[in-house]
């Protein structure tokens, strides 16, 4: 089944403890992206990747890192999480940047 | 930079009634337009999309949307709402944002409540 998977789905952590949210797609898509969703703000892009080893900042990149060493994986790294990073995170992929994006199930993060 | 406005934060309709969710976008050229739906606790599901051609597009679950260039709008409609349509709906525009990037910009969403 074609899909985007994220792990973990739910995570509670404390301020400053490094964490990684994994994202994987099995559709051989070139383009991948991370979004955060906050009430009243909709979805905002954090980082995107046009292809392997090519990443760039979205609208709200502060406090996040990404890497794209393989086409299928695009992990989101929070080196030192803070409470304002409590949010619902979505990973998405598409064949290219200009086509339909397919979203993962989301990861709900709570930073205490 | 592109932007998307969904003027209605929350809409309540009765089951069986018709529905129209509004979406206006700002972009210098013809964008790619999408509607996504998010059910409670779920991810985002694509309802429909407009890339080019016929300005009235059909989607899943009986939804349709009409692209009106003169009004910069892409409103979502359904003739008869079902209780299972209760969800949050997001309009999005995929537009060129510099370099080689096309960015998906979302509106803030419209929450739909369906009364029995």
């Amino acid at each position: 089944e074609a899909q985007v998977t994220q792990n973990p789905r739910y995570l509670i952590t404390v301020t400053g403890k490094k964490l990684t949210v994994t994202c994987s797609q099995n559709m051989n898509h070139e383009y991948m992206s991370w979004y955060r969703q906050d009430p009243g703000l909709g979805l905002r892009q954090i980082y995107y990747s046009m292809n392997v080893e090519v990443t760039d900042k979205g609208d709200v990149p502060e406090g996040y890192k990404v890497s794209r060493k393989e086409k299928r994986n695009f992990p989101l790294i929070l080196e030192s999480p803070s409470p304002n990073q409590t949010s619902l995170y979505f990973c998405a992929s598409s064949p290219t940047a200009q086509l339909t994006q397919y979203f993962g199930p989301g990861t709900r993060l709570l930073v205490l | 930079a592109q932007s998307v406005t969904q003027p209605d934060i929350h809409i309540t309709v009765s089951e069986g009634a018709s529905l129209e969710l509004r979406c206006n976008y700002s972009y210098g050229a013809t964008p790619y337009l999408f509607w996504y739906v998010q059910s409670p606790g779920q991810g985002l599901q694509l309802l429909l999309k407009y890339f080019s051609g016929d300005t009235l597009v059909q989607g899943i679950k009986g939804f349709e949307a009409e692209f009106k260039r003169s009004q910069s709008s892409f409103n979502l409609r359904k003739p008869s709402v079902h209780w299972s349509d209760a969800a949050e709906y997001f309009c999005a525009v995929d537009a060129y944002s510099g370099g080689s990037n096309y960015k998906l910009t979302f509106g803030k969403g419209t929450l739909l409540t369906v009364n029995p």
Side-chain angles (χ1 to χ4, degrees):
Chain A
E1 179 189 356
Q3 60 182 347
V4 179
T5 58
Q6 295 178 228
N7 282 293
R9 294 289 313 280
Y10 304 91
L11 180 59
I12 301 174
T13 190
V14 295
T15 298
K17 185 176 181 181
K18 181 179 178 180
L19 67 91
T20 299
V21 183
T22 65
C23 172
S24 182
Q25 50 93 5
N26 62 1
M27 296 171 277
N28 201 37
H29 285 169
E30 302 281 343
Y31 184 90
M32 298 185 74
S33 184
W34 276 102
Y35 298 85
R36 61 177 288 172
Q37 183 182 22
D38 302 291
L41 296 178
L43 285 90
R44 295 175 292 168
Q45 189 184 54
I46 303 171
Y47 269 95
Y48 66 92
S49 171
M50 303 293 289
N51 208 331
V52 175
E53 302 292 359
V54 180
T55 65
D56 207 347
K57 299 176 182 178
D59 295 321
V60 288
E62 295 77 21
Y64 305 94
K65 286 176 58 178
V66 293
S67 68
R68 187 92 181 275
K69 293 183 170 55
E70 310 165 274
K71 181 180 278 192
R72 64 183 293 124
N73 296 323
F74 190 44
L76 179 70
I77 302 157
L78 285 71
E79 294 271 2
S80 182
S82 63
N84 65 12
Q85 293 178 297
T86 292
S87 188
L88 178 58
Y89 292 88
F90 287 102
C91 180
S93 74
S94 64
T96 69
Q98 206 174 2
L99 296 179
T100 303
Q101 292 191 31
Y102 297 90
F103 284 80
T107 294
R108 190 168 292 280
L109 172 65
L110 172 62
V111 182
L112 300 173
Chain B
Q2 63 269 27
S3 64
V4 178
T5 301
Q6 294 180 246
D8 304 304
I9 296 173
H10 188 189
I11 286 182
T12 300
V13 300
S14 298
E15 191 169 16
S18 63
L19 171 70
E20 182 170 32
L21 302 182
R22 296 182 291 164
C23 172
N24 292 95
Y25 69 90
S26 173
Y27 181 58
T30 301
Y32 290 2
L33 296 159
F34 304 83
W35 275 99
Y36 286 87
V37 61
Q38 185 178 29
S39 298
Q42 302 297 312
L44 290 156
Q45 182 180 22
L46 179 69
L47 280 177
L48 48 78
K49 61 191 178 188
Y50 172 78
F51 285 178
S52 65
D54 193 345
T55 56
L56 183 64
V57 294
Q58 302 297 321
I60 61 171
K61 304 184 179 186
F63 285 92
E64 66 177 26
E66 186 171 13
F67 169 58
K68 292 186 177 180
R69 185 190 307 274
S70 61
Q71 299 177 18
S72 297
S73 69
F74 189 55
N75 294 348
L76 182 71
R77 299 194 294 251
K78 186 170 184 178
S80 178
V81 171
H82 188 263
W83 64 265
S84 60
D85 293 324
E88 191 159 21
Y89 292 79
F90 293 94
C91 181
V93 57
D94 194 7
Y96 181 66
S97 62
S100 56
N101 188 36
Y102 284 79
K103 189 172 70 173
L104 195 61
T105 299
F106 286 85
K108 295 183 179 179
T110 297
L111 182 64
L112 175 66
T113 298
V114 181
N115 288 333

